[in-house]
């Protein structure tokens, strides 16, 4: 790892940064009070050398808190499924 760092290896920005599909791989989203599309958890670090991405960071991304309580959202999903059937 030290030789790679000497060659210019740097970590991709993680928690607290704005999600960038060129640098991050979003594996899940979660309701949060953080601004939308903010990285709120990092599962695997990402790396790049200069402008070249070596490995994308695997992250969880914030989404706005739902206006509906969870029970209402589940009921709405059931109604939608019944309408399609």
């Amino acid at each position: 790892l030290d030789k790679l760092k000497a060659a210019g290896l740097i970590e991709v920005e993680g928690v607290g940064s704005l999600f960038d599909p060129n640098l991050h791989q979003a594996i899940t989203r979660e309701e949060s009070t953080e601004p939308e599309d903010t990285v709120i958890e990092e599962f695997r670090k990402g790396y790049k050398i200069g402008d070249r991405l070596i490995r994308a960071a695997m992250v969880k991304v914030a989404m706005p808190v739902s206006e509906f309580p969870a029970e209402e959202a589940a009921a709405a999903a059931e109604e939608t499924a019944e309408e399609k059937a």
Side-chain angles (χ1 to χ4, degrees):
L1 190 60
D2 292 331
K3 289 184 180 185
L4 290 173
K5 286 186 179 182
L9 183 76
I10 56 174
E11 290 182 8
V12 170
E13 292 182 30
V15 175
S17 66
L18 193 58
F19 174 76
D20 181 347
N22 297 308
L23 302 174
H24 303 111
Q25 178 183 2
I27 60 172
T28 186
R29 292 178 58 102
E30 183 176 287
E31 290 182 345
S32 174
T33 56
E34 294 292 324
E36 186 173 9
D37 293 333
T38 298
V39 174
I40 56 175
E41 188 174 347
E42 185 175 56
F43 298 100
R44 184 182 74 186
K45 291 194 177 295
Y47 298 96
K48 61 183 183 174
I49 294 179
D51 291 334
R52 185 174 182 178
L53 183 66
I54 303 302
R55 180 174 79 180
M58 292 176 64
V59 298
K60 180 189 295 183
V61 180
M63 62 185 239
V65 177
S66 175
E67 296 177 16
F68 303 104
E71 293 174 3
E72 289 182 23
E78 282 182 25
E79 287 176 15
T80 303
E82 289 173 2
E83 289 174 1
K84 289 182 179 180

